[in-house]
Amino acid sequence: MSAFFKHQLADYVEYHRDPWNCAMHVFGIIALFFAAILPLSLWPIGALGVHTTLAPIMVLPVLAYWLVLDAAIGAAILGAAVVLLSAAAFVVSHASLTVIWSVTAMLIVIGIGFQVVGHRVFEQRQPALVDNPTHLLLGPMFVMAKLFIALGFRRDLAAIIQTAPPQAQRDPSPLANKHQVEPLPRS
């Protein structure tokens, strides 16, 4: 893991402490990624006997960036991207233009909605993207890092993501407060 990635991830984590916000980001990021590649899958490109669409061409630079930041997480994202690119190609080959653009618009609304609700309701803090636009590219890395940690891999990432500095320790989300249980009185 590069020092740059470690620093960027630590900064990104400051905006994503609430578990409900993190869950909202999983769905929101996937929806937004799919919304981005779906219309790009409409434009075929052929060169030197290779036939593809604009989607994988446009995704390659960001995949390369993720691989450079962290090879293991980048490779996992590459695998997820292949699945999503294949799903987009399937949808494009079986749906009308109206359906494709309607699904794209719906996914954008859903993806942004998940992000806004996660930050406004649960995190009660503006998105990291507002303060640092490069964080737009860190969302998928963060989600995959959380998955690696949940599966018991990458203790180096767990040390960054699960350590809350003093300024990050705030009141839990309203949902967490709502479900707190009072201890039973002693008799």
Side-chain angles (χ1 to χ4, degrees):
M1 170 177 22
S2 71
F4 174 76
F5 177 52
K6 187 184 285 189
H7 172 73
Q8 290 292 332
L9 188 60
D11 189 44
Y12 189 87
V13 166
E14 290 304 310
Y15 295 81
H16 302 88
R17 292 284 177 196
D18 188 272
W20 287 100
N21 182 33
C22 293
M24 301 293 278
H25 274 61
V26 170
F27 296 108
I29 288 169
I30 292 169
L32 289 170
F33 185 84
F34 198 68
I37 63 171
L38 192 56
L40 294 174
S41 298
L42 289 168
W43 287 285
I45 295 179
L48 303 171
V50 176
H51 299 284
T52 187
T53 66
L54 190 56
I57 306 276
M58 297 301 287
V59 170
L60 278 175
V62 74
L63 287 173
Y65 175 70
W66 289 328
L67 283 163
V68 167
L69 285 181
D70 189 279
I73 293 176
I77 293 174
L78 173 63
V82 167
V83 170
L84 290 171
L85 286 164
S86 299
F90 179 81
V91 170
V92 164
S93 69
H94 289 86
S96 69
L97 278 174
T98 304
V99 169
I100 292 166
W101 285 105
S102 297
V103 168
T104 299
M106 186 175 54
L107 287 170
I108 290 170
V109 169
I110 289 169
I112 291 172
F114 274 121
Q115 307 297 320
V116 169
V117 168
H119 279 284
R120 295 275 184 207
V121 174
F122 299 113
E123 199 71 45
Q124 298 179 348
R125 184 172 185 180
Q126 69 184 6
L129 172 64
V130 174
D131 292 333
N132 188 345
T134 63
H135 282 187
L136 177 67
L137 298 176
L138 283 176
M141 296 286 288
F142 176 73
V143 167
M144 193 59 73
K146 296 281 276 185
L147 177 62
F148 273 46
I149 293 166
L151 294 173
F153 304 120
R154 300 298 302 266
R155 293 177 193 205
D156 58 333
L157 292 173
I160 295 168
I161 290 177
Q162 295 174 341
T163 303
Q167 73 267 21
Q169 294 184 4
R170 300 182 303 277
D171 291 333
S173 69
L175 187 62
N177 288 337
K178 188 178 181 181
H179 295 289
Q180 291 291 330
V181 178
E182 295 294 323
L184 294 172
R186 293 185 174 202
S187 35

